[in-house]
Amino acid sequence: MALPSGRLVRGRGLRRPLPQGPPPAFAVLLLGGPPPPVAWESRWVRWPDFRLPSDRRAARAALEEAWARAGAERVEVACGGGRGRTGTALACLAVLDGVPAADAVAFVRRAYHPRAVETPWQRRFVLGFASG
């Protein structure tokens, strides 16, 4: 997904095969339990399916790192299915990139997946992300 600044971030579902193309240099893995091993640097954010991150500060730090690294590196954000948690994280990255929080979910639904960000509390999380 292309952010307004031109940074590129790949969203994906870990239950699907690895997409074609070069691997990322860095990934944020959004799962309720420990992630499977990957061959690149990654950060695990404990984030149960259909819920919110267990540690919001850790989630914010991982997403800020992903946004910063996307300026020069291949970055991936992934959860099990690739829609709810991944979409929520991508919307937060859009906020970091300057998209108004009130518009971030619609932005990600246009740019990534029409059903990204699955729950009302995930939408509220994105709205609150702008204020830290």
Side-chain angles (χ1 to χ4, degrees):
M1 178 183 89
L3 294 168
S5 66
R7 286 173 163 86
L8 299 175
V9 179
R10 178 173 77 185
R12 79 174 178 106
L14 293 169
R15 292 191 296 262
R16 295 189 180 95
L18 188 64
Q20 295 290 331
F26 178 72
V28 177
L29 306 174
L30 313 165
L31 297 168
V38 293
W40 45 85
E41 187 179 355
S42 66
R43 298 282 177 274
W44 169 39
V45 174
R46 184 181 297 271
W47 192 330
D49 201 7
F50 297 106
R51 316 269 319 246
L52 296 175
S54 299
D55 182 338
R56 293 178 190 206
R57 285 185 211 182
R60 183 175 193 89
L63 293 173
E64 286 175 347
E65 181 177 2
W67 180 83
R69 292 179 73 160
E73 299 176 69
R74 296 182 69 80
V75 171
E76 172 178 274
V77 175
C79 67
R83 290 190 190 148
R85 293 167 286 182
T86 295
T88 303
L90 290 173
C92 292
L93 291 175
V95 170
L96 290 174
D97 206 59
V99 174
D103 300 332
V105 171
F107 174 84
V108 170
R109 287 178 174 170
R110 282 190 311 273
Y112 173 66
H113 193 284
R115 289 187 286 161
V117 190
E118 295 174 315
T119 68
W121 40 94
Q122 289 172 341
R123 288 190 292 277
R124 281 193 300 271
F125 181 76
V126 173
L127 285 172
F129 194 79
S131 60

Coordinates of all heavy atoms in Angstrom, one line a residue, residues 57-132:
R57 N 1.3 1.0 23.9 CA 2.6 1.7 23.8 C 3.5 0.9 22.9 O 4.2 1.5 22.1 CB 3.2 2.0 25.1 CG 2.5 3.1 25.9 CD 3.3 3.4 27.1 NE 2.3 3.9 28.1 CZ 2.6 4.3 29.3 NH1 3.8 4.3 29.7 NH2 1.6 4.7 30.1
A58 N 3.6 -0.4 23.1 CA 4.4 -1.3 22.3 C 4.0 -1.3 20.9 O 4.8 -1.2 20.0 CB 4.5 -2.7 22.9
A59 N 2.6 -1.3 20.7 CA 2.1 -1.2 19.3 C 2.5 0.1 18.6 O 2.9 0.1 17.5 CB 0.6 -1.4 19.4
R60 N 2.3 1.2 19.3 CA 2.7 2.5 18.8 C 4.2 2.5 18.4 O 4.5 3.0 17.3 CB 2.3 3.6 19.7 CG 2.6 4.9 19.1 CD 2.1 6.1 19.9 NE 2.2 7.3 19.1 CZ 1.2 7.8 18.4 NH1 0.1 7.1 18.3 NH2 1.4 8.9 17.7
A61 N 5.0 2.0 19.3 CA 6.5 2.0 19.0 C 6.8 1.2 17.8 O 7.6 1.6 17.0 CB 7.2 1.5 20.3
A62 N 6.2 0.0 17.7 CA 6.5 -0.8 16.5 C 6.0 -0.2 15.2 O 6.6 -0.2 14.2 CB 5.8 -2.2 16.7
L63 N 4.8 0.5 15.3 CA 4.3 1.1 14.1 C 5.1 2.4 13.7 O 5.3 2.6 12.5 CB 2.8 1.4 14.3 CG 1.9 0.2 14.4 CD1 0.5 0.6 14.7 CD2 1.9 -0.6 13.1
E64 N 5.5 3.1 14.7 CA 6.4 4.2 14.4 C 7.7 3.8 13.8 O 8.2 4.4 12.8 CB 6.7 5.1 15.7 CG 5.5 5.9 16.1 CD 5.7 6.6 17.5 OE1 6.6 6.3 18.2 OE2 4.8 7.4 17.8
E65 N 8.3 2.7 14.3 CA 9.5 2.1 13.7 C 9.2 1.7 12.2 O 10.0 1.9 11.3 CB 10.0 1.0 14.5 CG 11.3 0.4 13.9 CD 11.9 -0.7 14.7 OE1 11.3 -1.1 15.8 OE2 13.0 -1.2 14.3
A66 N 8.1 1.0 12.0 CA 7.7 0.6 10.6 C 7.6 1.8 9.7 O 8.1 1.7 8.6 CB 6.4 -0.2 10.7
W67 N 6.9 2.8 10.2 CA 6.7 4.0 9.3 C 8.1 4.6 9.0 O 8.3 5.0 7.8 CB 5.8 5.0 10.0 CG 5.6 6.3 9.2 CD1 4.7 6.4 8.2 CD2 6.3 7.5 9.3 NE1 4.8 7.7 7.7 CE2 5.8 8.4 8.4 CE3 7.3 7.9 10.2 CZ2 6.3 9.7 8.2 CZ3 7.8 9.2 10.0 CH2 7.3 10.1 9.0
A68 N 8.9 4.8 10.0 CA 10.3 5.4 9.8 C 11.1 4.5 8.8 O 11.7 5.1 7.8 CB 11.0 5.5 11.1
R69 N 11.1 3.2 9.0 CA 11.9 2.4 8.1 C 11.3 2.2 6.7 O 12.1 2.0 5.8 CB 12.0 1.0 8.8 CG 12.8 1.1 10.0 CD 13.0 -0.2 10.7 NE 13.9 -1.1 10.0 CZ 14.5 -2.2 10.5 NH1 14.3 -2.5 11.8 NH2 15.3 -2.9 9.8
A70 N 10.0 2.5 6.5 CA 9.4 2.4 5.2 C 9.9 3.5 4.3 O 9.8 3.4 3.1 CB 7.9 2.4 5.3
G71 N 10.6 4.5 4.8 CA 11.1 5.5 4.0 C 12.3 5.1 3.2 O 12.6 5.6 2.1
A72 N 13.0 4.0 3.6 CA 14.1 3.5 2.9 C 14.2 1.9 2.7 O 15.1 1.4 2.0 CB 15.4 4.0 3.6
E73 N 13.3 1.2 3.4 CA 13.3 -0.2 3.4 C 12.0 -0.8 3.0 O 11.0 -0.2 3.1 CB 13.7 -0.7 4.8 CG 15.1 -0.3 5.3 CD 15.3 -0.8 6.7 OE1 15.4 -2.0 6.9 OE2 15.3 0.1 7.6
R74 N 12.0 -2.1 2.6 CA 10.8 -2.8 2.4 C 10.2 -3.2 3.8 O 10.9 -3.9 4.6 CB 11.0 -4.1 1.6 CG 11.5 -3.8 0.2 CD 11.7 -5.0 -0.6 NE 10.4 -5.7 -1.0 CZ 9.6 -5.3 -1.9 NH1 9.9 -4.3 -2.7 NH2 8.5 -6.0 -2.2
V75 N 8.9 -2.8 4.0 CA 8.3 -3.1 5.3 C 7.0 -3.8 5.1 O 6.3 -3.6 4.1 CB 8.1 -1.7 6.0 CG1 7.2 -1.9 7.3 CG2 9.4 -1.1 6.4
E76 N 6.7 -4.7 6.0 CA 5.5 -5.5 6.0 C 4.7 -5.4 7.3 O 5.4 -5.4 8.4 CB 5.8 -6.9 5.7 CG 4.7 -7.9 5.8 CD 5.1 -9.3 5.4 OE1 5.1 -9.6 4.2 OE2 5.5 -10.1 6.3
V77 N 3.4 -5.4 7.3 CA 2.6 -5.5 8.4 C 1.7 -6.7 8.2 O 1.1 -6.8 7.1 CB 1.7 -4.2 8.7 CG1 0.8 -4.4 9.8 CG2 2.6 -3.0 8.9
A78 N 1.6 -7.6 9.2 CA 0.9 -8.8 8.9 C 0.2 -9.3 10.2 O 0.7 -9.2 11.3 CB 1.8 -9.9 8.4
C79 N -1.0 -9.9 10.0 CA -1.7 -10.7 11.0 C -2.2 -12.0 10.4 O -1.7 -12.3 9.3 CB -2.9 -9.8 11.5 SG -4.2 -9.6 10.4
G80 N -3.0 -12.7 11.1 CA -3.4 -14.0 10.5 C -4.1 -13.9 9.2 O -3.8 -14.5 8.2
G81 N -5.2 -13.1 9.1 CA -6.0 -13.0 7.9 C -5.6 -11.8 7.0 O -5.9 -11.9 5.8
G82 N -5.0 -10.8 7.6 CA -4.5 -9.7 6.8 C -5.6 -8.6 6.6 O -5.3 -7.7 5.8
R83 N -6.6 -8.6 7.3 CA -7.7 -7.5 7.2 C -7.9 -6.7 8.4 O -7.7 -5.5 8.3 CB -9.0 -8.1 6.8 CG -9.0 -8.7 5.4 CD -10.4 -9.1 4.9 NE -10.3 -9.8 3.7 CZ -11.1 -10.7 3.3 NH1 -12.1 -11.0 4.1 NH2 -11.0 -11.3 2.2
G84 N -8.3 -7.3 9.5 CA -8.7 -6.5 10.7 C -7.5 -5.8 11.4 O -7.4 -4.6 11.4
R85 N -6.6 -6.6 11.9 CA -5.5 -6.1 12.7 C -4.5 -5.4 11.7 O -4.0 -4.3 12.0 CB -4.7 -7.2 13.4 CG -5.6 -7.7 14.6 CD -5.0 -9.0 15.2 NE -5.3 -10.1 14.2 CZ -4.9 -11.3 14.5 NH1 -4.3 -11.7 15.6 NH2 -5.2 -12.3 13.6
T86 N -4.3 -6.0 10.6 CA -3.4 -5.4 9.6 C -4.0 -4.1 9.0 O -3.3 -3.1 8.9 CB -3.1 -6.4 8.4 OG1 -2.4 -7.5 8.9 CG2 -2.3 -5.8 7.3
G87 N -5.2 -4.1 8.7 CA -5.9 -2.9 8.2 C -5.8 -1.8 9.3 O -5.6 -0.6 9.0
T88 N -6.0 -2.1 10.6 CA -6.0 -1.2 11.6 C -4.6 -0.6 11.7 O -4.4 0.6 11.9 CB -6.4 -1.8 13.0 OG1 -7.7 -2.4 12.8 CG2 -6.4 -0.8 14.1
A89 N -3.6 -1.4 11.7 CA -2.2 -1.0 11.7 C -1.9 -0.1 10.5 O -1.2 1.0 10.7 CB -1.2 -2.2 11.8
L90 N -2.3 -0.5 9.4 CA -2.1 0.4 8.2 C -2.8 1.7 8.3 O -2.2 2.7 7.9 CB -2.5 -0.4 6.9 CG -1.7 -1.6 6.5 CD1 -2.4 -2.3 5.3 CD2 -0.3 -1.2 6.1
A91 N -4.0 1.7 8.9 CA -4.6 3.0 9.1 C -3.8 3.9 10.1 O -3.7 5.1 9.9 CB -6.1 2.8 9.6
C92 N -3.3 3.3 11.1 CA -2.4 4.0 12.0 C -1.2 4.6 11.3 O -0.7 5.7 11.6 CB -2.0 3.2 13.2 SG -3.4 2.7 14.3
L93 N -0.6 3.8 10.4 CA 0.6 4.3 9.6 C 0.1 5.4 8.8 O 0.9 6.4 8.6 CB 1.1 3.1 8.8 CG 1.8 2.0 9.5 CD1 2.3 0.9 8.6 CD2 3.0 2.5 10.3
A94 N -1.1 5.4 8.2 CA -1.6 6.5 7.4 C -1.7 7.7 8.3 O -1.4 8.8 7.8 CB -2.9 6.1 6.8
V95 N -2.1 7.6 9.5 CA -2.2 8.7 10.4 C -0.8 9.3 10.6 O -0.6 10.5 10.6 CB -2.9 8.3 11.8 CG1 -2.7 9.4 12.8 CG2 -4.3 8.0 11.5
L96 N 0.2 8.4 10.9 CA 1.6 8.9 11.1 C 2.1 9.6 9.8 O 2.9 10.5 9.9 CB 2.5 7.7 11.4 CG 2.3 7.1 12.7 CD1 3.2 5.8 12.8 CD2 2.7 8.0 13.9
D97 N 1.5 9.2 8.7 CA 2.0 9.8 7.4 C 1.2 11.1 7.1 O 1.4 11.7 6.0 CB 1.8 8.8 6.3 CG 2.7 9.0 5.1 OD1 3.9 9.0 5.3 OD2 2.2 9.2 4.0
G98 N 0.3 11.5 7.9 CA -0.4 12.8 7.7 C -1.9 12.7 7.3 O -2.5 13.7 7.2
V99 N -2.4 11.5 7.1 CA -3.8 11.3 6.8 C -4.6 11.7 8.1 O -4.3 11.1 9.2 CB -4.2 9.9 6.4 CG1 -5.6 9.7 6.2 CG2 -3.4 9.6 5.1
P100 N -5.6 12.5 8.1 CA -6.4 12.8 9.3 C -7.0 11.5 9.8 O -7.5 10.6 9.0 CB -7.5 13.7 8.8 CG -6.9 14.4 7.6 CD -6.1 13.3 6.9
A101 N -7.0 11.3 11.1 CA -7.5 10.1 11.7 C -8.9 9.8 11.3 O -9.2 8.6 11.1 CB -7.4 10.2 13.3
A102 N -9.7 10.8 11.1 CA -11.1 10.5 10.7 C -11.2 10.0 9.3 O -12.2 9.4 9.0 CB -11.9 11.8 10.8
D103 N -10.2 10.1 8.5 CA -10.2 9.7 7.1 C -9.3 8.4 6.9 O -9.3 7.8 5.8 CB -9.7 10.8 6.2 CG -10.5 12.0 6.3 OD1 -11.7 11.9 6.6 OD2 -9.9 13.1 6.0
A104 N -8.6 8.0 7.9 CA -7.6 6.9 7.8 C -8.2 5.6 7.4 O -7.7 4.8 6.6 CB -6.7 6.8 9.0
V105 N -9.3 5.2 8.0 CA -10.0 3.9 7.7 C -10.4 3.9 6.2 O -10.2 2.9 5.5 CB -11.1 3.6 8.7 CG1 -11.9 2.3 8.2 CG2 -10.6 3.3 10.1
A106 N -11.1 4.9 5.8 CA -11.5 5.0 4.4 C -10.3 5.0 3.5 O -10.4 4.3 2.4 CB -12.3 6.3 4.2
F107 N -9.2 5.6 3.8 CA -8.0 5.6 3.0 C -7.5 4.2 2.8 O -7.2 3.8 1.7 CB -6.9 6.5 3.6 CG -5.6 6.4 2.9 CD1 -5.4 7.2 1.8 CD2 -4.6 5.6 3.4 CE1 -4.2 7.2 1.2 CE2 -3.4 5.5 2.7 CZ -3.2 6.3 1.6
V108 N -7.4 3.5 3.9 CA -6.9 2.1 3.9 C -7.9 1.2 3.1 O -7.5 0.3 2.3 CB -6.6 1.6 5.3 CG1 -6.3 0.1 5.3 CG2 -5.4 2.3 5.9
R109 N -9.2 1.4 3.3 CA -10.1 0.6 2.5 C -10.0 0.8 1.0 O -10.3 -0.1 0.2 CB -11.5 0.8 3.0 CG -11.8 0.2 4.4 CD -13.1 0.5 5.0 NE -13.3 -0.3 6.2 CZ -14.3 -0.1 7.0 NH1 -15.3 0.7 6.7 NH2 -14.4 -0.9 8.1
R110 N -9.7 2.0 0.6 CA -9.5 2.3 -0.8 C -8.2 1.8 -1.3 O -8.1 1.2 -2.4 CB -9.5 3.8 -1.1 CG -10.9 4.4 -1.1 CD -10.9 5.9 -1.7 NE -9.9 6.7 -1.0 CZ -10.1 7.4 0.1 NH1 -11.2 7.3 0.7 NH2 -9.1 8.1 0.6
A111 N -7.1 2.0 -0.5 CA -5.8 1.6 -1.0 C -5.3 0.2 -0.7 O -4.4 -0.3 -1.4 CB -4.8 2.6 -0.3
Y112 N -6.0 -0.5 0.2 CA -5.5 -1.8 0.6 C -6.6 -2.9 0.4 O -6.4 -3.8 -0.4 CB -5.0 -1.8 2.0 CG -4.6 -3.1 2.6 CD1 -3.6 -3.9 2.1 CD2 -5.3 -3.7 3.7 CE1 -3.2 -5.1 2.6 CE2 -5.0 -4.9 4.2 CZ -4.0 -5.7 3.6 OH -3.7 -6.9 4.1
H113 N -7.7 -2.8 1.2 CA -8.7 -3.8 1.1 C -10.0 -3.1 1.6 O -10.1 -2.5 2.6 CB -8.4 -5.0 2.0 CG -9.3 -6.2 1.8 ND1 -10.6 -6.2 2.2 CD2 -9.0 -7.3 1.1 CE1 -11.1 -7.4 1.8 NE2 -10.2 -8.1 1.1
P114 N -11.1 -3.4 0.8 CA -12.4 -2.7 1.2 C -13.0 -3.1 2.5 O -13.8 -2.4 3.1 CB -13.3 -3.1 0.0 CG -12.7 -4.3 -0.7 CD -11.2 -4.2 -0.4
R115 N -12.5 -4.3 3.1 CA -13.0 -4.7 4.4 C -12.0 -4.6 5.5 O -12.1 -5.2 6.6 CB -13.6 -6.1 4.3 CG -14.9 -6.1 3.5 CD -15.6 -7.4 3.5 NE -14.9 -8.3 2.7 CZ -15.0 -9.7 2.7 NH1 -15.8 -10.2 3.6 NH2 -14.3 -10.4 1.9
A116 N -11.0 -3.8 5.3 CA -9.9 -3.6 6.3 C -10.5 -2.9 7.5 O -11.4 -2.0 7.3 CB -8.8 -2.8 5.7
V117 N -10.0 -3.1 8.6 CA -10.5 -2.6 9.9 C -11.9 -3.1 10.2 O -12.9 -2.6 9.7 CB -10.4 -1.0 10.0 CG1 -10.7 -0.6 11.4 CG2 -9.1 -0.5 9.5
E118 N -11.9 -4.2 10.9 CA -13.2 -5.0 11.0 C -14.1 -4.6 12.1 O -15.3 -4.9 12.0 CB -12.8 -6.5 11.1 CG -12.1 -7.0 9.9 CD -11.6 -8.5 10.1 OE1 -11.1 -8.8 11.2 OE2 -11.8 -9.2 9.2
T119 N -13.7 -4.1 13.2 CA -14.6 -3.9 14.3 C -14.7 -2.4 14.7 O -13.8 -1.6 14.4 CB -14.1 -4.6 15.5 OG1 -12.8 -4.0 16.0 CG2 -13.8 -6.1 15.2
P120 N -15.8 -2.0 15.4 CA -15.9 -0.7 15.8 C -14.8 -0.2 16.8 O -14.3 0.9 16.7 CB -17.3 -0.7 16.6 CG -18.0 -1.9 16.2 CD -16.9 -2.9 15.7
W121 N -14.3 -1.1 17.6 CA -13.2 -0.7 18.5 C -11.9 -0.6 17.8 O -11.1 0.3 18.2 CB -13.1 -1.7 19.7 CG -13.2 -3.1 19.4 CD1 -12.3 -4.0 19.1 CD2 -14.5 -3.8 19.3 NE1 -12.8 -5.3 18.9 CE2 -14.2 -5.2 19.0 CE3 -15.8 -3.5 19.6 CZ2 -15.2 -6.1 18.8 CZ3 -16.8 -4.5 19.4 CH2 -16.5 -5.8 19.1
Q122 N -11.7 -1.3 16.7 CA -10.5 -1.0 15.8 C -10.6 0.4 15.2 O -9.6 1.1 15.1 CB -10.4 -2.1 14.8 CG -9.9 -3.5 15.4 CD -9.9 -4.6 14.4 OE1 -10.6 -4.5 13.3 NE2 -9.2 -5.7 14.7
R123 N -11.8 0.7 14.7 CA -12.0 2.1 14.2 C -11.7 3.2 15.2 O -11.1 4.2 15.0 CB -13.4 2.2 13.6 CG -13.5 1.5 12.3 CD -14.8 1.8 11.6 NE -16.0 1.3 12.3 CZ -16.5 0.1 12.2 NH1 -15.9 -0.8 11.4 NH2 -17.6 -0.2 12.8
R124 N -12.2 3.0 16.5 CA -11.9 3.9 17.5 C -10.4 4.0 17.9 O -9.9 5.0 18.2 CB -12.7 3.5 18.8 CG -14.2 4.0 18.7 CD -14.9 3.9 20.0 NE -15.0 2.6 20.6 CZ -15.9 1.7 20.4 NH1 -16.9 1.9 19.6 NH2 -15.8 0.5 21.0
F125 N -9.8 2.8 17.8 CA -8.3 2.8 18.1 C -7.6 3.7 17.1 O -6.7 4.5 17.5 CB -7.8 1.4 18.0 CG -6.3 1.2 18.2 CD1 -5.8 1.3 19.5 CD2 -5.4 1.0 17.2 CE1 -4.5 1.2 19.8 CE2 -4.1 0.9 17.5 CZ -3.6 1.0 18.8
V126 N -8.0 3.7 15.8 CA -7.4 4.5 14.8 C -7.6 6.0 15.1 O -6.7 6.8 15.0 CB -7.9 4.1 13.4 CG1 -7.4 5.1 12.3 CG2 -7.5 2.7 13.0
L127 N -8.9 6.3 15.5 CA -9.2 7.7 15.8 C -8.4 8.2 17.0 O -7.9 9.3 17.0 CB -10.7 7.8 16.2 CG -11.7 7.8 15.0 CD1 -13.1 7.7 15.4 CD2 -11.5 8.9 14.0
G128 N -8.1 7.3 18.0 CA -7.4 7.7 19.1 C -5.9 7.7 18.9 O -5.1 8.3 19.7
F129 N -5.4 7.1 17.8 CA -4.0 7.0 17.5 C -3.3 8.3 17.3 O -2.2 8.5 17.7 CB -3.8 6.0 16.3 CG -2.4 5.6 16.2 CD1 -1.9 4.5 17.0 CD2 -1.5 6.2 15.3 CE1 -0.6 4.1 16.8 CE2 -0.2 5.7 15.1 CZ 0.3 4.7 15.9
A130 N -4.1 9.2 16.7 CA -3.5 10.6 16.4 C -3.1 11.3 17.7 O -2.2 12.1 17.7 CB -4.5 11.4 15.6
S131 N -3.8 11.1 18.8 CA -3.5 11.8 20.0 C -2.5 11.1 20.9 O -2.1 11.7 21.9 CB -4.8 12.0 20.8 OG -5.4 10.8 21.2
G132 N -2.0 10.0 20.4 CA -0.9 9.3 21.1 C -1.5 8.5 22.2 O -1.0 7.9 23.1

